[in-house]
Amino acid sequence: MKNNTLFRRLLIGATWAWMALLALVPYLMLVGASFFERGTDTLVRPGLTLSNYLHLLSPTVFTMAADSVALAAVAALLCLLVGYPFAAILAHAPARIQPLLLLLVMIPFWTNSLIRTYALVMLLKADGVVNSLLLHAGLIAEPLRLMYTPVAVFIGLVYTLLPFMILPLYAALKTVDPQLLEAGRDLGAGRVRNFLHITVPLTMPGIIAGTMLVFLPALGMFYIADILGGARTMLVGNYIRDQFLVFRDIPTGSAASVTMTVAMGLLLVLHHLARRRSGKEMLP
Amino acid sequence: MVTLAGVTKQYNGHPALVDISLTVADGEFLSLLGPSGCGKTTLLRLIGGFERCTKGSVLIDGRDTDGVPPERRAVNTVFQNYALFPHMTVFDNVAFGLRMANRPRDEIAAAVNGALDLVQLHGMAARRPAELSGGQQQRVAIARAIVNKPRVLLLDEPLSALDHRLRKQMQKELKQLQRTLGITFILVTHDQDEAFAMSDRVVVMQQGRIEQIGSPREIYEEPVNLYVARFVGDINVLAGVIREKIGPNLYTALVEGVTVQLRSDRPLSLAQPVHILLRPEDFRLAVEDAATPARELPGTIRHAGLKGTVRRIFYHGATYDVEVSLENGTRIQVTEFFDEDSDTLSCTPGDRVTLGWHEGWEVVLPHEE
């Protein structure tokens, strides 16, 4: 018993230490850097300033942010539309094969997403697998232009982020008591109205969680837009990456990064508040 | 009117219901009584439309319901765990069926409030199911079903989650409700008291078959076989052999080593082995060798005189149970009522007693293995 608690403490302590050292400390450095000035010889020069944040208040940055939000929102919506039926099939599959299907959803995680994105190029390019198949099948006369289009970017985002939508939806669907659906049918609701009046409201936490889990990473996934969409669309993620790696403007990149994190944090807080309210809104 | 004609249901080749035929009259309160796994819930689900018969048919008002989904049947169900919609208020739960039927808004409001009044839940309309007690949730489930004015209300062990006192109260209220509404109620239960207290007729089931259909009194007093006799209430089963026919429906038999008279409507043949079934309250006992003057057995029960010894006495308040072992070792349970003018027990462990029963109260069944 004593060993057990020691083991637990070690395990939890190691996790905390890991998070503190590799996530919290670097992030605090980033927050610090966002208030520093850009150096000529060194990367940053100490000296408190808000100018990095003021840089962000430009029309270019606003347009870019709006584009990013729109792109992430569409990606989240596509994931929801594809993921919901997928999760429903998963949740209603025979209990024996559910673990196998879940494994199939998760296997892609075992490969780095950057590598998977390059693999998508092989599929989507003019002489890639998709076009070859369609040409051979006689469905198209000349190769479709897929690469470097918004379509390719959405394919990449949906492909990469779909598991984050499926898993919370699956968990939410599993908690819906099948007897509630029987009760709905008993009271005269067909399958469609049962779905709209019972399943959707009861899985709303999963829908919101999945949407957040797709929407927030989609805002920052610069490499997918880079590789599949070309450099024509500038997104928040690309912008931050460019500040660090191209322009070597660490303070501005830090400020953009911190601003984005704060925005995401606000979204999460709003989500939390909305959930707390929705639990009570019907009370007298 | 609900008619089941030769209904058979199999799951992967395993029979859950075998050739069930049954007619439920309009306005009747019918209980399906049996142990878990006897098929009573399957029967209810067939009527509700959640399962399809493998063979036979379910007719509601004379129409075959095969292939008719639950949402298109004039039947509503009160589910075992209520199955209230947790994301809706009590009002929205009760209004669900009427909204699905696209009824006008003011009609819905009036009907829902009426149904909530009927189950004594006025003022609870804005609550969520999670904020109600088990008994209140039960009432919401009932209101949600009856507000649709179904032809038949199906109740699947509706009271099993309630405590004893609340269950007794809800039994009375359900019965009252059924009389008020005139809806046919079909109740599934494994609780004999519940079935007896509420039903016009009880269907005793075992392993997918109907063992007996009858009024509670018929089931209790004239069980058709040992299974039914043992399932409803305590019963003593004595072994006997028919000796002589001494009149119409009257026989003498050797029962547990004693010659007694038996009455039976069934034709019995000489030397036929039989079971004699007697409820504990059918017996009377008299102490043989007590110092105090013995209670005399009344004349109507003197025709049977089993000798035995009192083993144990269990006190129950208004009654007490006496466990008697006969000379051949058979144990018999006797329920005695306290005397009107004496609150002392009529016997103590170790007493030698004579047991008799009211003439004609015995049930004689052919011997079953």
Side-chain angles (χ1 to χ4, degrees):
Chain A
M1 203 59 202
K2 208 160 191 177
N3 253 341
N4 192 7
T5 54
L6 182 68
F7 178 69
R8 272 185 50 162
R9 275 186 204 164
L10 272 175
L11 211 62
I12 295 170
T15 311
W16 275 108
W18 178 280
M19 291 297 288
L21 211 67
L22 299 175
L24 186 65
V25 171
Y27 197 77
L28 289 176
M29 287 166 66
L30 200 71
V31 172
S34 73
F35 292 104
F36 286 173
E37 282 168 19
R38 193 177 175 184
T40 38
D41 305 329
T42 53
L43 287 174
V44 288
R45 206 175 58 201
L48 220 55
T49 170
L50 282 174
S51 64
N52 301 313
Y53 287 95
L54 295 175
H55 274 159
L56 297 177
L57 296 174
S58 72
T60 0
V61 177
F62 272 122
T63 319
M64 178 196 72
D67 284 352
S68 298
V69 167
L71 182 94
V74 173
L77 188 70
L78 288 173
C79 277
L80 182 62
L81 292 179
V82 176
Y84 207 105
F86 199 113
I89 292 168
L90 204 59
H92 296 128
R96 262 179 320 111
I97 65 168
Q98 279 188 22
L100 180 74
L101 293 175
L102 275 178
L103 187 73
L104 290 177
V105 172
M106 292 196 277
I107 278 179
F109 279 117
W110 297 353
T111 309
N112 183 291
S113 66
L114 190 59
I115 294 171
R116 280 186 284 137
T117 307
Y118 278 112
L120 272 181
V121 175
M122 308 308 286
L123 291 175
L124 298 177
K125 63 185 180 179
D127 56 348
V129 177
V130 171
N131 273 319
S132 307
L133 278 177
L134 290 175
L135 279 172
H136 277 291
L139 292 171
I140 50 171
E142 50 187 89
L144 292 178
R145 189 176 147 71
L146 293 170
M147 279 304 291
Y148 311 120
T149 63
V151 175
V153 177
F154 284 124
I155 290 176
L157 284 173
V158 170
Y159 168 68
T160 309
L161 295 169
L162 193 58
F164 294 104
M165 181 62 86
I166 290 174
L167 295 178
L169 284 177
Y170 167 77
L173 280 162
K174 286 292 276 183
T175 64
V176 176
D177 182 355
Q179 207 176 48
L180 294 178
L181 300 176
E182 287 196 344
R185 298 197 66 194
D186 189 70
L187 293 166
R191 292 175 195 281
V192 174
R193 289 198 287 181
N194 241 354
F195 177 75
L196 294 177
H197 291 284
I198 300 171
T199 310
V200 169
L202 287 177
T203 52
M204 196 47 84
I207 293 172
I208 293 174
T211 306
M212 303 282 271
L213 284 175
V214 171
F215 178 76
L216 297 181
L219 279 178
M221 280 208 160
F222 59 87
Y223 56 87
I224 289 182
D226 257 11
I227 296 169
L228 300 174
R232 295 185 306 167
T233 40
M234 186 60 113
L235 300 172
V236 173
N238 307 53
Y239 177 81
I240 295 171
R241 192 265 326 259
D242 287 350
Q243 300 309 312
F244 280 104
L245 301 181
V246 179
F247 305 119
R248 302 266 162 201
D249 187 349
I250 288 187
T252 306
S254 299
S257 182
V258 169
T259 307
M260 192 165 140
T261 309
V262 169
M264 286 180 180
L266 277 176
L267 267 181
L268 286 172
V269 169
L270 278 177
H271 166 225
H272 182 70
L273 289 178
R275 274 190 67 183
R276 277 227 321 233
R277 252 240 328 256
S278 73
K280 291 176 183 167
E281 68 186 352
M282 291 298 189
L283 293 188
Chain B
M1 199 171 72
V2 179
T3 306
L4 305 171
V7 168
T8 296
K9 175 71 187 174
Q10 295 183 338
Y11 291 107
N12 306 323
H14 294 285
L17 290 171
V18 184
D19 196 22
I20 300 280
S21 291
L22 177 68
T23 298
V24 191
D26 276 337
E28 185 177 12
F29 198 130
L30 184 95
S31 289
L32 304 173
L33 175 66
S36 56
C38 74
K40 55 192 192 299
T41 297
T42 305
L43 198 54
L44 207 66
R45 292 176 59 82
L46 280 168
I47 301 170
F50 298 109
E51 308 275 352
R52 289 180 78 163
C53 311
T54 311
K55 259 192 285 186
S57 50
V58 177
L59 295 99
I60 299 176
D61 288 330
R63 252 167 294 161
D64 193 339
T65 59
D66 188 49
V68 179
E71 60 266 30
R72 300 210 343 253
R73 294 187 181 207
V75 170
N76 284 116
T77 308
V78 176
F79 291 89
Q80 181 165 12
N81 300 313
Y82 318 143
L84 299 180
F85 305 127
H87 58 294
M88 295 182 197
T89 61
V90 167
F91 185 94
D92 291 336
N93 262 283
V94 177
F96 191 88
L98 298 172
R99 284 183 181 151
M100 292 302 118
N102 297 317
R103 308 300 275 275
R105 185 181 274 270
D106 45 346
E107 183 195 321
I108 292 176
V112 169
N113 288 324
L116 288 176
D117 281 351
L118 210 55
V119 296
Q120 297 166 31
L121 279 180
H122 25 242
M124 301 281 184
R127 303 257 183 113
R128 296 275 180 133
E131 299 168 304
L132 302 179
S133 71
Q136 289 170 331
Q137 290 181 17
Q138 171 66 76
R139 288 160 195 267
V140 176
I142 293 167
R144 187 177 68 173
I146 61 171
V147 76
N148 305 294
K149 302 206 169 28
R151 298 278 286 122
V152 183
L153 185 68
L154 308 175
L155 302 111
D156 185 6
E157 305 250 6
L159 308 179
S160 60
L162 304 181
D163 66 45
H164 181 75
R165 238 180 55 139
L166 202 53
R167 194 158 65 224
K168 292 279 172 210
Q169 188 193 334
M170 285 304 295
Q171 284 173 10
K172 282 186 197 147
E173 287 184 18
L174 267 180
K175 181 73 197 166
Q176 188 64 43
L177 204 60
Q178 191 254 345
R179 288 213 181 104
T180 313
L181 298 170
I183 297 175
T184 307
F185 275 38
I186 302 178
L187 171 90
V188 157
T189 181
H190 61 266
D191 182 340
Q192 161 231 323
D193 289 336
E194 193 167 295
F196 281 12
M198 296 197 278
S199 319
D200 300 314
R201 282 194 304 159
V202 176
V203 178
V204 182
M205 295 182 63
Q206 182 195 206
Q207 292 181 342
R209 289 167 206 276
I210 293 179
E211 296 288 344
Q212 187 171 2
I213 306 176
S215 70
R217 187 160 179 174
E218 283 165 359
I219 301 278
Y220 190 75
E221 294 184 357
E222 293 153 37
V224 296
N225 57 33
L226 275 185
Y227 173 79
V228 175
R230 287 195 170 121
F231 193 75
V232 296
D234 294 326
I235 195 132
N236 295 293
V237 180
L238 306 180
V241 180
I242 299 298
R243 277 295 157 90
E244 201 184 340
K245 187 172 165 79
I246 54 172
N249 305 335
L250 211 58
Y251 302 85
T252 62
L254 191 66
V255 176
E256 303 291 338
V258 180
T259 302
V260 298
Q261 269 184 29
L262 295 179
R263 191 178 289 274
S264 171
D265 293 339
R266 297 165 195 268
L268 298 168
S269 51
L270 296 188
Q272 181 180 358
V274 291
H275 295 294
I276 294 96
L277 310 182
L278 287 156
R279 300 285 175 193
E281 63 271 20
D282 294 343
F283 283 107
R284 284 293 170 273
L285 57 77
V287 182
E288 276 190 339
D289 49 3
T292 50
R295 271 200 320 180
E296 287 264 301
L297 283 177
T300 51
I301 56 178
R302 233 179 260 149
H303 63 98
L306 304 174
K307 308 273 185 207
T309 310
V310 173
R311 290 290 168 204
R312 278 181 291 184
I313 293 174
F314 304 93
Y315 175 74
H316 291 301
T319 61
Y320 55 99
D321 288 345
V322 183
E323 189 185 301
V324 177
S325 68
L326 301 181
E327 278 154 359
N328 64 2
T330 306
R331 303 221 161 192
I332 291 183
Q333 191 178 323
V334 179
T335 299
E336 287 274 280
F337 294 84
F338 282 102
D339 274 344
E340 286 145 20
D341 38 55
S342 150
D343 58 354
T344 55
L345 307 176
S346 64
C347 56
T348 52
D351 282 353
R352 290 196 48 76
V353 292
T354 304
L355 284 176
W357 64 83
H358 285 277
E359 199 177 335
W361 284 17
E362 69 275 9
V363 172
V364 183
L365 293 176
H367 185 82
E368 294 174 29
E369 284 310 318

